[in-house]
Amino acid sequence: MTMVDERLYQEENQVSLKELKLDSNNVRFRHNNSLLNEKQMEDWLYDEEDVKLLIKQILRDRKIQQPIYVVEDGHGKYIVKEGNRRTVALRRIDYDIKAGKIQGFQKNHFEVVPVHILQGTDHQIKVFLGQIHVSGHKEWDAVNKASVIYDLVENYGDSIESVAEELGMTKGKVDNYHAAFKATEKYGKRFPEDKNYVPKFSYFMELYQSKVLKNWLYEDPSNLDYFIDLVRKNKLEATYKGPRKLAKIIATPNPLRAKALAVLDEENGDIEKAFSTIIDYKTRSGGVWSDVKKIQSVLDKASYDEFILAVEDPEKLELLEELIEKAEKMRREIFILKRGGSET
């Protein structure tokens, strides 16, 4: 297991802002299938991340509050491993000061930046970033957390147990993150034409967080391929609700489950139509079971006097016998359905 501490980086150094390079391997850019250049990364972070609020904070404090961690690139530059957003904010501020758009600062106020230079291996640095963003106080989105966990397991050979220990997480949670991102990568390899596949991770995270669906995958691993096809064909809602409705369908006994899945597999089928099959059935059959509950309630209230009436009136006893016979028949039919529809 790799332990990360202050020996991973030097004391604070002062470097020129111009010497900092954004990290093209940053997990925020994982959804792009090709590497972005410096300007593309800066524009993406400025547009997609909340850099504008960070700019206001830096201007108010007249400095950055959180350190920037970098590695030397061997050519006199430093690649930012932690602090890409702060770097973009500092660049925009420095540009606006020099352009006269921001007053109250000397033109060179932000030209020099305090950084910590990381000295460890790529693996140590990956764990270090994970401790900050996966289980630390500056949490990434779930897909970015999963990306780090996936890299530690698949690219560095860490076990689920060691990653859990390194990042201070439960083994089950790490396992779910890893499995979900691995399935996302499988989706991306199967459909390379989907250039923005990583956000599909949310479907797979729901898949592995559901006990019902995890058991469904365990029973038949090919069900993962089926689920991937559902995602690709947009048959699941564009939210967490789609996989959750699928879980309810899978948990439904046959033959209703098979009927709902058949609707889902139709060319124009989707999870909403399939789920409606179950809801409609339960709505239609609700009256029968409501009446059964009423009968049960009435029988619970039966008194000794009613028993005397049945002794004196044979038709009442016959009525009770018919009720018992029909109840037994219903129970047999239900047991047959639970066994898969066969009496043998």
Side-chain angles (χ1 to χ4, degrees):
M1 183 187 71
T2 301
M3 298 300 295
V4 180
D5 56 30
E6 66 276 2
R7 291 173 294 180
L8 185 61
Y9 51 85
Q10 300 174 359
E11 294 298 322
E12 186 175 281
N13 292 264
Q14 301 291 323
V15 303
S16 170
L17 179 61
K18 293 181 179 180
E19 294 176 351
L20 298 185
K21 295 170 59 179
L22 300 176
D23 184 9
S24 60
N25 292 316
N26 186 287
V27 293
R28 290 188 177 91
F29 307 133
R30 185 86 182 223
H31 65 284
N32 292 284
N33 286 359
S34 58
L35 293 180
L36 304 180
N37 61 38
E38 195 75 11
K39 186 177 185 308
Q40 288 173 326
M41 287 188 287
E42 180 173 330
D43 289 344
W44 190 92
L45 286 169
Y46 185 77
D47 292 337
E48 300 296 331
E49 301 287 341
D50 206 6
V51 174
K52 296 178 182 66
L53 288 177
L54 190 54
I55 288 174
K56 293 180 180 179
Q57 177 187 325
I58 294 172
L59 289 174
R60 183 188 67 238
D61 299 336
R62 305 182 72 85
K63 63 179 181 180
I64 56 173
Q65 295 291 354
Q66 300 294 328
I68 292 176
Y69 294 92
V70 302
V71 294
E72 296 180 87
D73 73 346
H75 304 285
K77 301 288 186 180
Y78 300 90
I79 300 173
V80 178
K81 304 304 292 186
E82 160 60 17
N84 284 272
R85 292 169 62 248
R86 292 189 290 284
T87 300
V88 170
L90 289 170
R91 286 178 179 179
R92 296 297 175 111
I93 291 171
D94 184 61
Y95 177 84
D96 286 346
I97 288 175
K98 288 180 169 57
K101 297 180 180 179
I102 297 177
Q103 304 297 321
F105 293 89
Q106 293 184 355
K107 289 190 179 295
N108 64 349
H109 187 94
F110 290 103
E111 284 184 355
V112 177
V113 182
V115 301
H116 290 296
I117 301 175
L118 295 166
Q119 300 293 318
T121 64
D122 289 343
H123 180 230
Q124 288 175 316
I125 292 171
K126 179 70 70 171
V127 173
F128 171 69
L129 295 176
Q131 291 174 341
I132 294 175
H133 292 293
V134 176
S135 55
H137 66 286
K138 296 175 64 180
E139 287 194 25
W140 275 325
D141 292 337
V143 64
N144 294 332
K145 294 181 186 179
S147 173
V148 170
I149 291 170
Y150 175 83
D151 283 344
L152 287 174
V153 174
E154 299 295 327
N155 299 328
Y156 293 99
D158 289 5
S159 66
I160 295 296
E161 292 80 3
S162 66
V163 172
E165 188 174 350
E166 286 168 339
L167 302 184
M169 301 171 66
T170 65
K171 178 184 172 183
K173 196 166 187 178
V174 170
D175 192 40
N176 285 347
Y177 272 123
H178 171 254
F181 200 86
K182 188 173 183 178
T184 307
E185 290 291 272
K186 184 176 183 179
Y187 173 96
K189 290 176 182 177
R190 180 176 298 179
F191 303 111
E193 67 276 12
D194 188 347
K195 303 300 183 182
N196 193 25
Y197 72 90
V198 172
K200 301 287 195 307
F201 167 81
S202 60
Y203 291 107
F204 297 103
M205 194 64 201
E206 286 291 336
L207 172 67
Y208 283 97
Q209 283 180 328
S210 167
K211 290 183 179 180
V212 170
L213 294 180
K214 284 180 73 173
N215 288 336
W216 176 62
L217 295 180
Y218 179 78
E219 291 168 1
D220 185 354
S222 68
N223 285 330
L224 176 58
D225 296 319
Y226 176 69
F227 186 87
I228 287 174
D229 287 337
L230 292 179
V231 173
R232 179 57 180 165
K233 295 174 182 177
N234 295 316
K235 286 180 174 282
L236 302 176
E237 296 177 17
T239 67
Y240 62 89
K241 294 181 180 179
R244 293 184 185 182
K245 288 180 179 178
L246 177 62
K248 291 180 179 179
I249 290 174
I250 298 301
T252 301
N254 279 321
L256 185 56
R257 166 180 163 174
K259 184 177 180 180
L261 290 176
V263 172
L264 182 60
D265 292 340
E266 292 175 357
E267 185 175 350
N268 63 342
D270 57 38
I271 194 66
E272 188 61 39
K273 293 176 182 176
F275 190 64
S276 295
T277 302
I278 295 175
I279 298 301
D280 291 346
Y281 177 84
K282 289 182 178 180
T283 300
R284 292 195 308 270
S285 61
V288 173
W289 294 106
S290 177
D291 289 340
V292 169
K293 285 186 176 181
K294 290 178 182 178
I295 293 171
Q296 184 183 39
S297 177
V298 169
L299 292 176
D300 287 341
K301 297 176 183 178
S303 67
Y304 183 77
D305 291 338
E306 267 107 19
F307 300 160
I308 296 296
L309 289 177
V311 172
E312 297 174 351
D313 185 353
E315 289 186 4
K316 289 183 172 55
L317 189 57
E318 289 177 7
L319 184 63
L320 184 61
E321 290 288 352
E322 289 180 10
L323 180 61
I324 293 172
E325 183 180 346
K326 289 180 180 179
E328 286 286 355
K329 183 179 179 181
M330 286 180 64
R331 185 169 67 171
R332 284 197 303 272
E333 293 292 339
I334 291 171
F335 283 154
I336 290 171
L337 290 173
K338 288 181 69 175
R339 289 197 299 267
S342 175
E343 292 196 51
T344 59

